[in-house]
């Protein structure tokens, strides 16, 4: 089985997730042992899957523990505050001045309840954010694990030494995802931008912020190559050719 068929049928992704039969597993392992370029693609794909899982795992802050503890203990707090309230109400019949103490306790209870409600709302927002990030990560994983996806590694030149980006191209669904994490960080007034070369014309696909795990870019039909340049922040309407840092032929 040749490398092209292995890539087009998504056998590397299925091998990585343990979904291949024994026969196909043996074929893929043999190909990986014989083809250095195929092995490099697999290593990059494997590293991306591991890094995405690690980086997307979010440890809840200590504040969450405190909020949950307060939420569990609050019924007890309110129950405890009713006893002084009852006693104070009885004593107030005999000693009018004690009403000031009762009023202070009531104010404290109101303040505590307001704080708890605010913390509960904050906790709910954090949970919603975690759920949203999980869904996004799950959707990205499904996209790059699709059998129709072709992974392409763009290695940096002297302008981006030791840098690399990985593009996941799905011609069938006309979707392009790029992991730019391997590219060197740029100054705030600069950004990476990707272009498709179609018959000698460079067409803008979008910018590549290096603080994003996966970036969705515009799919360009009949592209002959993918190219990354360094442009002013916000992107450019035409590529700065002398700032080309990487490209790959499709």
């Amino acid at each position: 089985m040749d490398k092209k068929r292995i890539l087009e049928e998504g056998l590397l992704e299925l091998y990585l997730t343990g979904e291949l039969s024994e026969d196909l597993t043996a074929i893929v392992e043999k190909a990986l042992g014989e083809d250095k370029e195929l092995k490099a693609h697999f290593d990059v794909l494997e590293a991306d899957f591991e890094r995405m899982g690690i980086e997307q795992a979010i440890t809840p802050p200590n504040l969450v523990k405190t909020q949950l503890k307060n939420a569990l203990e609050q019924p007890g707090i309110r129950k405890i505050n009713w006893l002084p309230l009852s006693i104070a109400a009885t004593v107030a019949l005999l000693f009018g001045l004690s009403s000031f103490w009762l009023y202070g306790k009531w104010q404290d209870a109101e303040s505590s309840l307001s704080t708890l409600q605010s913390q509960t709302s904050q906790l709910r927002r954090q949970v919603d954010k975690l759920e949203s990030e999980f869904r996004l990560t799950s959707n990205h994983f499904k996209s790059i694990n699709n059998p129709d996806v072709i992974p392409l590694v763009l290695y940096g030149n002297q302008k981006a030494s030791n840098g690399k980006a990985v593009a996941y191209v799905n011609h069938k669904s006309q979707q392009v995802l790029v992991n730019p994490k391997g590219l060197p960080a740029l100054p705030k007034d600069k950004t990476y931008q990707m272009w498709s070369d179609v018959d000698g014309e460079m067409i803008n696909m979008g910018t590549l912020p290096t603080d994003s795990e996966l970036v969705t870019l515009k799919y360009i039909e009949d592209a002959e190559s993918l190219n990354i340049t360094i442009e002013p922040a916000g992107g450019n309407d035409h590529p700065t050719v002398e700032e080309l840092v990487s490209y790959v032929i499709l």
Side-chain angles (χ1 to χ4, degrees):
M1 185 180 295
D2 58 20
K3 176 175 66 179
K4 181 179 180 182
R5 180 180 173 187
I6 290 176
L7 292 175
E8 290 179 349
E9 294 184 4
L11 297 184
L12 288 182
E13 290 82 355
L14 295 176
Y15 173 73
L16 182 60
T17 57
E19 299 179 40
L20 286 180
S21 63
E22 292 184 4
D23 292 341
L24 287 177
T25 296
I27 292 174
V28 171
E29 289 178 345
K30 181 180 179 183
L32 290 173
E34 297 175 349
D35 192 318
K36 293 183 178 179
E37 184 177 1
L38 185 65
K39 182 61 166 61
H41 283 183
F42 175 77
D43 291 342
V44 171
L45 184 63
E46 184 179 39
D48 280 339
F49 282 3
E50 292 178 353
R51 182 167 57 253
M52 184 167 62
I54 293 173
E55 293 183 358
Q56 291 299 327
I58 302 175
T59 301
N62 290 331
L63 178 60
V64 174
K65 179 179 179 181
T66 302
Q67 292 167 346
L68 290 175
K69 181 179 179 181
N70 290 341
L72 291 174
E73 293 179 349
Q74 184 62 20
I77 293 175
R78 295 188 65 186
K79 181 178 180 181
I80 292 173
N81 285 340
W82 281 112
L83 182 57
L85 181 61
S86 299
I87 296 174
T90 302
V91 175
L93 296 174
L94 301 175
F95 304 100
L97 293 178
S98 62
S99 61
F100 291 102
W101 176 85
L102 176 61
Y103 177 77
K105 288 294 182 180
W106 177 75
Q107 287 290 87
D108 290 342
E110 286 292 308
S111 177
S112 297
L113 179 59
S114 177
T115 300
L116 176 61
Q117 290 173 337
S118 175
Q119 292 176 343
T120 301
S121 296
Q122 183 180 359
L123 178 60
R124 185 178 296 110
R125 289 193 296 269
Q126 291 175 340
V127 171
D128 290 342
K129 181 180 179 182
L130 290 175
E131 290 179 348
S132 176
E133 291 175 347
F134 174 79
R135 286 194 296 269
L136 180 61
T137 300
S138 179
N139 290 336
H140 280 163
F141 181 81
K142 290 179 181 178
S143 296
I144 65 178
N145 196 37
N146 191 304
D148 296 320
V149 168
I150 301 175
L152 301 168
V153 182
L154 292 89
Y155 293 100
N157 58 17
Q158 67 277 8
K159 290 183 176 294
S161 181
N162 298 321
K164 66 179 179 181
V166 183
Y168 301 93
V169 181
N170 189 329
H171 295 292
K172 186 175 181 179
S173 65
Q174 297 190 334
Q175 184 181 33
V176 178
L177 290 172
V178 179
N179 182 348
K181 281 284 192 177
L183 294 173
L186 293 174
K188 292 183 178 180
D189 61 342
K190 297 291 183 180
T191 187
Y192 292 106
Q193 190 166 351
M194 181 169 278
W195 312 81
S196 284
D197 183 356
V198 180
D199 295 328
E201 179 183 0
M202 299 289 268
I203 302 177
N204 176 32
M205 297 175 65
T207 58
L208 293 171
T210 55
D211 58 350
S212 298
E213 181 67 30
L214 283 175
V215 182
T216 301
L217 296 184
K218 182 179 180 181
Y219 176 87
I220 306 297
E221 292 187 359
D222 302 321
E224 299 171 5
S225 66
L226 302 179
N227 307 266
I228 299 177
T229 61
I230 298 176
E231 304 294 345
N236 208 345
D237 57 359
H238 60 276
T240 306
V241 179
E242 58 270 21
E243 293 294 334
L244 179 71
V245 299
S246 182
Y247 74 94
V248 64
I249 303 298
L250 298 180

